[in-house]
Amino acid sequence: MKKALFILLGSAALAVSVVGLRAQAQLTEFDEKFKAFDQNGDGIISGSEMNGANYLPRLDLNKDGKLTHDEALEAVQKMRKLSGNLPAGVGDESTPVLFKRMDKNSDGKLTAEELPNKKWFNGLDTDKDGSVTLEEAEKVIATLRKRGSTGSGTTESPIKPASEDPSFKEAPELLKGSDHGVGRMVADLALKTLQGSEVKLSSAAGKNGLVIALFSASCPISGKLAPETARLEASLKEQGVGMLLVNAPPGQKAEEITQFIADHKLVSPVATDADGKLAQLLTATTTTEVFLLDAARTLVYRGALNDQYGLGYSKDTPQHHYLRDAVAAMLRGEPAELVATSAPGCALDLPSQQGIASTPVTYHRDIARIMQANCVECHHKGGVGPFALDSYEAVIEHAGMIRKQVERGAMPPWFAAPLEGRAHSPWINDRSLSARDRSDLLAWLSADRAKGDIADAPKPRVFPSEWSIGKPDAIIAAAKPISIKAEGTMPYQHVTVATEFPEDRWVRGYEILPSAREVVHHVIVSVHEKGSKVRGGGDEGAEGYWAAYVPGNTKQIYPEGFARKLPAGATVSFQIHYTPNGKAVEDTIRMGLLFSKTPPKYVVHTTGLSNTRLSIPPGEANHVEVAQRTLPVDVNVMAWMAHMHVRGKAFKFEVTLPDGKSETLLDIPKYDFNWQLRYDYAVPHFLPRGSTVKITAVYDNSSGNPANPDPTKTVRWGQQTFDEMMIGYMEHYTPLNPEVADVRK
C-alpha cells in the first residue's frame, strides 16, 4: 500500500505532495507552478530545472528527460482523475469511466502498457498478478481518497516550520561549546557539604569522570528531573563516573535541601554553592544544568540532562538524552555529538562570571585542550592534516604556521560570517575558535610558551584506524581500483555499483573513504532506483546529490529520526574528481552506511540551485553571477553548502519571503575552494512556499588571484578545476507521513 500511496497520490502528487497544487486548484495556479520551475522561461522544464521537485520526472510521460507545459498538464490531469480529485474545469470522469477509456482492448483488465506510468501500475496491482481489475483500482483509490482528503475537499500540506514541531520547539537550545567552556579544564574547587566538611571535585569523581548536577529544592523543574537523576546515579556508578549534587541558589535552607534529597531518594554526595564560586567558575545559568568532566577534568558536555521538561512544557518521555549520550561518547573516547545546550530551569542570579580557567596560560592545561577541540581531529598521525599537532613538540615545531593561519582566519576552517541579529551562532557545526580560545592561543604563542604541569594534561584523543563513523552496517565499494596519473588533469571518473538489498533501507549516516585520499578532491554520490538508466554526466551534482565527499565534509550522521532512503536494488553511482599530485597511484572508493532499524520520522534530501551559464571575463577581479529560484513548496532547511572552483571568491545565500522581507541565510565572504564546508543549522530554518532563494557568487579571474590558471581566459561552466561552477546546495527534509509516504522521496 505504501507504493500505491506513492504512485496514486498522483493528483495528490500535486495536492498532498511537494508540488502543493491542491485538489481544487485552478489551471491558472498550475501555470504559476510551471513557471516557477521553468527558471529560464523557455517553456520547457529540463536539466537542473527538473530538480525543482523529485516528482517532476514522473510527469515525463514520453521519458525524453524534459517537460513541456502541455505534457505536464496532461500528466497532472491523468493523475488527478485517477485519485478522483478534479480541479475545476479539468474534467469529471469517474474511476469506471476512466478505467474503460484506458482499457484499450476492452478485456476488463489494465496492463502495464495500458497505464500511462509503470509506477501507477505497480501500485494498483495489489495482488501482483500482472494486471489491474476495476475492483482493485477502486479499492486503492477509495483508500487514497479517505486518507488524502480532509473531508472539505482540500488537502493540507504536512510541511510545517520546525519551530512549530514539538521535536524542535520543546528542545533545549543547542549552543556552541567553545563559547561556553567546553574543552577547558575545570579547576579542582573545594565545596562545603551539608555537614560542613569539604569535598573537592577530584574526590567526588569516579575513575572515568564526574557529573556535576546543579539543583534547587524549590525549583519545580529540579523536582521533575530528580527521578531521572536518581536513575543516573546507579548507571553512572557502574560506568566509573561519579556524581556530585550541588545546591546552586544562595540562601536555601539546609532542611529544605535535606528534605529534597530524601524525597527523591538521591544518594550521591551533596554540596552547596552558597557563595556562587562553582557557578561562576562554570558560568552556570540555571538550577538544572549538568556538567560532565572526564578523568582529566576537561569539560566535555554542559547543559540539559534531557529534553523532557522545560519552562511551560512537559513530555511523557524525553526524545533526547543529552547527558547519557555524552557519557557514552566519553567512555568510547569520542567527543559528544552535542556538547552544549541551554538548560531550562530556574535562573541563577550571579555576579559577573569569571570563566573556567585563568591566566597564565600553559600548554598542558590550556593549549593542548584547544588543539584537541579544534585541530587534532585532522592533525594527528594518519589524519588528513599534513602534520600532527598532538604534542607540545609538534605545536612548537609548527608554531609559526599555526599563528599565521589563526591570525588570518584560515584555521580552523570556518568561513561563515556572523549573521546580523543573532546572539548565538545558528550553525551546530561551527568550527570557529571562540574569542577566548583565539586570544589564549595567540598570547601563548607570542609569550614564553609555558609547558606547565603535566598533571594538568588532558586525556589523549584516540582515533579509529579506518571508519570514523564506527563499523558500517554495509559497505558499497568499487569493483576495481582507478589508476591516477602523476601529472596533469583527469576527466571525472564514474563508478557504478549495483546493490542487492531486497528491501528499502533507511540510511542514518554515511562515510566516503577513498584509499588514496591525497588525490581525491571530491566525490558526488547519486542513487538510482532499480531498473532506471544511469547516465554519467558532467553536471557535478548540479541538481543535488545523495551523499558527498568534499574538503571538510567526508561523512554525515543525521539526527535521531532523520534518514535518507536507499531503495531496494538501487544502483549507486560515484562521480569522482581526481587531482594528480606528482605520484601515480591507485584509488578504490568505498562508502560505509549506517542503517536505521525503523523508518524515520523525516526523509532527508539535497537540492542544487545552479547557474550553468557562467561567463567570467578575463582579468576581472570581482565578477558577480546571480541565480534564484522561487520555492513551490514549504521547506525546512537543514544545511547549505556552496560550490565553486579556484576563481571563487565569495558566496552568499539570501531569501525574499512572500511578504517581501529579505534575509541573509549564509554569507561566505572569503570562499576557499580547498574547504567546501556544509553549514548545518542547529534548528532547521523554515522557508514558506513562494519564498525566492537567491545565490550570489563573486569570482576573481585576475592575475592577482594566485590560484587562477589563466587570467586571460573567459571562463565558463565546466568539470575541471580550470573551469568554473556555481552551485548552492540546500539540504532539507520532508516528513515520512503514512498518507504521503513516498511522494517526496
Side-chain angles (χ1 to χ4, degrees):
M1 180 55 72
K2 186 178 286 187
K3 283 192 175 180
L5 291 170
F6 163 131
I7 297 156
L8 280 178
L9 279 172
S11 86
L14 298 181
V16 177
S17 76
V18 156
V19 164
L21 292 176
R22 292 167 170 71
Q24 79 280 12
Q26 301 294 323
L27 290 176
T28 51
E29 188 174 3
F30 171 86
D31 292 338
E32 291 175 4
K33 295 304 171 188
F34 188 91
K35 290 177 182 177
F37 289 119
D38 180 18
Q39 297 173 44
N40 59 10
D42 64 354
I44 299 174
I45 297 173
S46 61
S48 63
E49 295 171 341
M50 287 288 278
N51 194 55
N54 288 332
Y55 64 84
L56 285 175
R58 297 170 201 141
L59 303 180
D60 183 11
L61 300 181
N62 62 9
K63 302 304 177 187
D64 64 352
K66 58 187 178 181
L67 278 175
T68 65
H69 180 279
D70 291 344
E71 180 184 16
L73 181 58
E74 179 186 357
V76 169
Q77 289 172 338
K78 287 179 178 179
M79 290 190 289
R80 286 195 182 138
K81 291 170 185 177
L82 278 174
S83 70
N85 287 323
L86 290 164
V90 175
D92 58 1
E93 290 177 292
S94 65
T95 301
V97 172
L98 181 60
F99 186 96
K100 183 177 180 179
R101 185 165 64 83
M102 300 176 84
D103 183 14
K104 295 181 175 61
N105 60 7
S106 302
D107 64 351
K109 296 179 181 180
L110 297 180
T111 63
E113 289 71 28
E114 291 173 315
L115 278 167
N117 188 299
K118 183 179 179 181
K119 293 183 179 296
W120 302 353
F121 174 79
N122 291 336
L124 289 170
D125 184 17
T126 55
D127 60 7
K128 304 305 177 188
D129 66 350
S131 63
V132 177
T133 65
L134 176 59
E135 182 182 6
E136 281 181 292
E138 287 188 319
K139 282 183 179 180
V140 172
I141 292 171
T143 302
L144 291 177
R145 285 174 178 163
K146 181 178 179 182
R147 295 189 178 188
S149 173
T150 63
S152 61
T154 62
T155 310
E156 296 302 323
S157 167
I159 297 291
K160 58 182 175 182
S163 59
E164 296 178 9
D165 187 330
S167 303
F168 302 103
K169 185 178 181 180
E170 298 177 356
E173 181 182 2
L174 305 181
L175 304 174
K176 182 181 174 184
S178 60
D179 284 344
H180 298 272
V182 175
R184 289 284 186 159
M185 184 181 186
V186 177
D188 194 13
L189 194 68
L191 300 172
K192 290 286 186 181
T193 68
L194 289 177
Q195 293 74 33
S197 59
E198 285 193 345
V199 57
K200 282 191 168 184
L201 301 184
S202 57
S203 61
K207 65 177 182 178
N208 292 324
L210 173 67
V211 169
I212 302 170
L214 304 188
F215 75 95
S216 166
S218 59
C219 177
I221 301 178
S222 286
K224 291 178 180 180
L225 290 171
E228 172 64 358
T229 304
R231 289 189 289 269
L232 273 165
E233 287 181 326
S235 61
L236 290 176
K237 185 176 181 180
E238 293 175 357
Q239 298 174 91
V241 179
M243 177 179 278
L244 179 63
L245 303 171
V246 179
N247 182 254
Q252 202 151 67
K253 296 179 180 179
E255 53 267 28
E256 292 179 307
I257 302 171
T258 302
Q259 189 63 50
F260 181 91
I261 297 298
D263 287 346
H264 297 290
K265 299 180 174 59
L266 300 172
V267 297
S268 296
V270 181
T272 61
D273 190 32
D275 55 10
K277 287 185 178 179
L278 179 68
Q280 290 184 60
L281 182 71
L282 297 172
T283 62
T285 58
T286 73
T287 58
T288 61
E289 281 187 276
V290 293
F291 301 83
L292 175 61
L293 282 56
D294 68 12
R297 294 202 315 280
T298 303
L299 180 61
V300 296
Y301 170 77
R302 65 169 299 160
L305 190 152
N306 59 36
D307 65 347
Q308 187 171 7
Y309 303 109
L311 298 175
Y313 74 83
S314 295
K315 301 179 184 179
D316 289 337
T317 57
Q319 281 189 299
H320 300 284
H321 297 271
Y322 302 116
L323 178 60
R324 288 183 182 271
D325 291 345
V327 170
M330 181 185 74
L331 296 177
R332 293 194 304 268
E334 303 171 0
E337 184 179 348
L338 300 177
V339 297
T341 76
S342 61
C346 301
L348 294 172
D349 184 18
L350 299 171
S352 58
Q353 298 167 333
Q354 300 171 355
I356 285 182
S358 56
T359 53
V361 176
T362 69
Y363 173 78
H364 286 307
R365 188 188 62 204
D366 307 301
I367 302 303
R369 286 178 169 83
I370 294 174
M371 292 289 115
Q372 282 194 0
N374 300 282
C375 308
V376 301
E377 181 177 355
C378 295
H379 290 274
H380 66 271
K381 185 178 180 180
V384 297
F387 45 77
L389 290 175
D390 51 6
S391 69
Y392 177 81
E393 291 74 20
V395 171
I396 294 300
E397 178 183 353
H398 300 286
M401 196 61 178
I402 294 171
R403 179 191 297 165
K404 177 181 178 179
Q405 294 294 74
V406 170
E407 285 180 340
R408 64 191 287 260
M411 287 286 156
W414 186 258
F415 308 105
L419 294 176
E420 186 178 351
R422 292 269 191 169
H424 303 293
S425 170
W427 315 110
I428 194 172
N429 61 332
D430 190 337
R431 289 187 174 104
S432 62
L433 283 174
S434 69
R436 183 178 171 211
D437 284 350
R438 187 177 188 275
S439 174
D440 283 354
L441 177 57
L442 291 176
W444 182 81
L445 288 169
S446 300
D448 58 1
R449 302 173 186 173
K451 201 169 185 178
D453 188 347
I454 196 169
D456 292 340
K459 294 179 63 178
R461 285 280 302 271
V462 179
F463 297 95
S465 58
E466 190 175 26
W467 299 100
S468 63
I469 60 171
K471 183 180 179 181
D473 295 317
I475 298 174
I476 297 174
K480 59 182 181 180
I482 296 173
S483 296
I484 296 92
K485 60 184 183 179
E487 300 177 88
T489 61
M490 289 183 63
Y492 281 20
Q493 302 296 302
H494 298 274
V495 175
T496 59
V497 181
T499 66
E500 298 180 354
F501 301 116
E503 299 175 345
D504 296 343
R505 297 296 177 94
W506 293 105
V507 177
R508 65 178 180 86
Y510 68 81
E511 181 174 5
I512 299 171
L513 195 62
S515 61
R517 55 188 173 187
E518 68 274 11
V519 295
V520 179
H521 182 264
H522 71 262
V523 182
I524 298 293
V525 179
S526 299
V527 167
H528 314 267
E529 288 193 350
K530 185 177 181 179
S532 61
K533 185 176 181 180
V534 180
R535 300 184 181 93
D539 60 1
E540 193 171 331
E543 297 182 356
Y545 57 80
W546 193 89
Y549 175 109
V550 294
N553 291 319
T554 62
K555 63 183 179 180
Q556 189 168 19
I557 296 180
Y558 297 110
E560 183 180 354
F562 290 77
R564 285 189 185 270
K565 186 178 180 180
L566 182 64
T571 296
V572 176
S573 64
F574 297 86
Q575 183 194 68
I576 314 166
H577 182 188
Y578 289 108
T579 53
N581 67 350
K583 180 182 177 182
V585 296
E586 289 189 336
D587 176 66
T588 303
I589 203 79
R590 292 184 295 164
M591 180 169 65
L593 304 177
L594 299 176
F595 293 142
S596 176
K597 294 180 180 179
T598 58
K601 185 176 181 181
Y602 302 110
V603 186
V604 180
H605 320 265
T606 302
T607 300
L609 171 56
S610 59
N611 180 356
T612 61
R613 300 178 179 181
L614 299 176
S615 181
I616 306 170
E620 178 59 52
N622 292 287
H623 177 72
V624 177
E625 292 277 358
V626 175
Q628 62 185 34
R629 176 180 297 172
T630 299
L631 299 178
V633 292
D634 295 342
V635 173
N636 276 310
V637 183
M638 301 174 69
W640 302 102
M641 189 171 79
H643 176 68
M644 300 185 288
H645 292 172
V646 295
R647 295 174 180 83
K649 187 175 185 178
F651 202 102
K652 184 183 288 188
F653 291 83
E654 299 170 283
V655 65
T656 300
L657 301 172
D659 63 5
K661 294 180 180 177
S662 296
E663 176 187 356
T664 297
L665 299 165
L666 170 63
D667 184 11
I668 307 172
K670 295 182 179 180
Y671 174 84
D672 189 334
F673 174 65
N674 298 297
W675 292 97
Q676 295 171 48
L677 306 180
R678 187 180 59 248
Y679 297 86
D680 297 322
Y681 281 115
V683 176
H685 191 89
F686 179 71
L687 298 179
R689 168 188 169 186
S691 299
T692 299
V693 176
K694 175 184 174 183
I695 58 173
T696 303
V698 182
Y699 296 91
D700 184 353
N701 194 21
S702 72
S703 57
N705 176 3
N708 192 352
D710 185 358
T712 67
K713 174 185 175 183
T714 296
V715 184
R716 303 186 188 280
W717 177 280
Q719 292 185 8
Q720 293 298 331
T721 304
F722 52 73
D723 298 315
E724 265 305 335
M725 288 193 170
M726 177 182 175
I727 310 174
Y729 290 113
M730 177 179 74
E731 187 170 281
H732 57 105
Y733 68 86
T734 53
L736 183 64
N737 182 299
E739 283 73 30
V740 290
D742 290 327
V743 224
R744 301 168 185 274
K745 88 177 172 164

